[in-house]
């Protein structure tokens, strides 16, 4: 499986036609042998990621030759409603193909991040061990391929969202989610936002036997229209690093002086809980 690193050359971004060809390329060498595939898109809180469209495209490519299951990486968020699924994935993805991640009951411990490691990366602020937990479906050997689809974007807990955050947090359990978020809060969100090298306790070696492929996007939104600025596919850290560079260019706004007062509008479809609404605070604190 090769890597794809593609940045838009036009202001309009990567077109749907170009996107289909790129996605077909990601599975071209293995499509004939695929019998069962699991897609891991984000949920509706990433409605501007382009991931819903990408998931629908993969479904159309694969549905006639293999079983395709879709499990949004909810973390602790509520399962997506029928209306959200339709808006996010479109009309062609059957609702019975969309599975809900249950972070309380459907996770399996696959390892542990030692307390000594947490102490080292947090500059001694915390020293607890963290269970590495993932949804049991990721360990289901009947899946020939698991495709994690998501957006690389500045994030208050891991610095830059996606890559294996989509697995360990989006498809993770109570211990992983709670302790990683507390680590981010204690370490300092201002020290991490928009940076890739942050103390997030997610180690790749826990997933070495999982047939996983990442498909990462970088997007911008203008007047409600989503533009896919880049697509990065593969397994190595390199694709994430390249996506981070583009996201830092496209998704960060630098100011000449601090702001004194900020009023933030949150789209009620996307930010429908206090937990999610707090992002309005997280993402303006550095500007204040």
């Amino acid at each position: 499986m090769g890597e794809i690193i593609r940045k838009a050359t036009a202001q309009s971004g990567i077109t749907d036609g170009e996107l289909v060809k790129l996605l077909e390329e990601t599975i071209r060498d293995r499509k004939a042998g695929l019998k069962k595939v699991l897609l891991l898109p984000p949920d509706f809180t990433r409605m501007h990621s382009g991931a819903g469209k990408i998931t629908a495209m993969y479904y159309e490519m694969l549905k006639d030759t293999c079983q395709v299951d879709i499990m949004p990486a909810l973390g602790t968020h509520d399962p997506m409603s029928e209306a959200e699924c339709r808006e996010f994935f479109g009309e062609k993805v059957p609702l019975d193909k969309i599975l809900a991640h249950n972070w309380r009951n459907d996770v399996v411990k696959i390892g542990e991040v030692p307390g000594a490691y947490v102490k080292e990366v947090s500059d001694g602020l915390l020293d607890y061990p963290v269970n590495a937990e993932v949804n049991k479906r990721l360990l289901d050997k009947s899946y020939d391929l698991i495709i994690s689809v998501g957006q690389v974007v500045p994030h208050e807990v891991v610095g830059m969202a996606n890559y294996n955050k989509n697995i360990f947090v989006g498809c993770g359990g109570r211990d992983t989610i709670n302790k990683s978020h507390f680590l981010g809060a204690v370490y300092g969100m201002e020290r991490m936002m928009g940076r890739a090298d942050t103390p997030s306790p997610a180690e790749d070696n826990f997933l070495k036997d999982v047939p996983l492929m990442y498909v990462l996007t970088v997007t911008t939104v203008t007047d409600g229209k989503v533009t896919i600025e880049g697509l990065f596919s593969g397994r190595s850290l390199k694709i994430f690093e390249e996506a981070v560079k583009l996201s830092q260019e496209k998704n960060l706004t630098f100011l000449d002086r601090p702001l004194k007062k900020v009023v933030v509008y949150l789209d009620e479809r996307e930010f429908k809980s206090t937990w999610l609404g707090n992002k309005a605070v997280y993402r303006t604190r550095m500007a204040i």
Side-chain angles (χ1 to χ4, degrees):
M1 179 178 60
E3 295 178 344
I4 293 176
I5 296 175
R6 185 66 56 85
K7 300 176 184 178
T9 55
Q11 190 172 357
S12 57
I14 296 175
T15 67
D16 285 359
E18 291 170 332
L19 189 57
V20 168
K21 291 179 180 178
L22 288 170
L23 298 182
E24 287 175 340
E25 188 177 339
T26 66
I27 58 173
R28 181 186 57 207
D29 295 340
R30 61 168 70 191
K31 185 176 180 181
L34 296 177
K35 301 299 181 185
K36 190 176 179 182
V37 173
L38 178 63
L39 302 177
L40 304 175
D43 67 2
F44 203 69
T45 61
R46 293 286 188 271
M47 61 182 290
H48 297 127
S49 62
K53 176 166 61 177
I54 288 172
T55 300
M57 288 176 174
Y58 270 129
Y59 180 78
E60 285 297 306
M61 291 175 198
L62 295 167
K63 66 181 177 65
D64 293 332
T65 56
C66 69
Q67 177 181 330
V68 181
D69 294 330
I70 300 167
M71 186 177 73
L74 298 173
T76 59
H77 301 169
D78 292 333
M80 292 170 66
S81 67
E82 179 177 343
E84 288 173 338
C85 288
R86 283 288 170 244
E87 185 171 352
F88 196 53
F89 299 117
E91 296 294 329
K92 294 184 178 180
V93 174
L95 294 177
D96 62 3
K97 292 295 183 180
I98 302 173
L99 312 171
H101 165 61
N102 188 322
W103 60 278
R104 289 185 173 93
N105 302 315
D106 286 352
V107 297
V108 177
K109 181 178 177 180
I110 57 174
E112 182 180 273
V113 179
Y117 177 81
V118 175
K119 183 176 182 179
E120 176 186 350
V121 298
S122 69
D123 294 339
L125 296 171
L126 295 172
D127 62 359
Y128 51 49
V130 180
N131 292 336
E133 304 162 327
V134 295
N135 189 286
K136 62 186 179 182
R137 291 186 179 91
L138 275 79
L139 307 179
D140 184 341
K141 298 295 185 182
S142 67
Y143 285 111
D144 304 300
L145 179 62
I146 298 175
I147 304 177
S148 176
V149 184
Q151 178 188 13
V152 174
V153 66
H155 191 272
E156 59 278 358
V157 175
V158 294
M160 297 295 288
N162 227 272
Y163 197 57
N164 56 27
K165 173 188 178 291
N166 209 43
I167 306 300
F168 287 103
V169 175
C171 301
R174 181 196 310 269
D175 199 69
T176 310
I177 295 170
N178 289 348
K179 288 183 177 178
S180 64
H181 281 67
F182 188 69
L183 170 60
V186 172
Y187 184 77
M189 294 174 183
E190 290 86 352
R191 299 171 68 183
M192 298 191 301
M193 183 76 73
R195 299 177 173 90
D197 187 14
T198 60
S200 176
E203 298 182 357
D204 291 326
N205 58 354
F206 294 142
L207 301 172
K208 61 184 179 181
D209 296 325
V210 177
L212 184 62
M213 177 177 72
Y214 294 104
V215 177
L216 310 176
T217 64
V218 173
T219 71
T220 55
V221 181
T222 304
D223 296 329
K225 183 180 184 300
V226 176
T227 298
I228 297 182
E229 304 283 356
L231 186 85
F232 307 82
S233 173
R235 184 71 189 263
S236 75
L237 187 61
K238 178 184 176 182
I239 65 161
F240 177 61
E241 292 172 338
E242 291 298 318
V244 164
K245 292 177 185 176
L246 184 60
S247 179
Q248 288 171 335
E249 175 188 335
K250 298 291 185 178
N251 303 139
L252 291 174
T253 301
F254 295 91
L255 305 174
D256 294 329
R257 62 177 69 91
L259 302 175
K260 293 183 178 180
K261 185 176 183 180
V262 177
V263 178
V264 179
Y265 169 76
L266 296 172
D267 189 319
E268 62 185 10
R269 298 170 299 164
E270 185 174 357
F271 300 100
K272 58 183 181 179
S273 71
T274 303
W275 172 262
L276 296 171
N278 278 330
K279 292 179 183 292
V281 178
Y282 306 152
R283 299 183 184 190
T284 52
R285 271 173 34 172
M286 290 177 71
I288 297 173

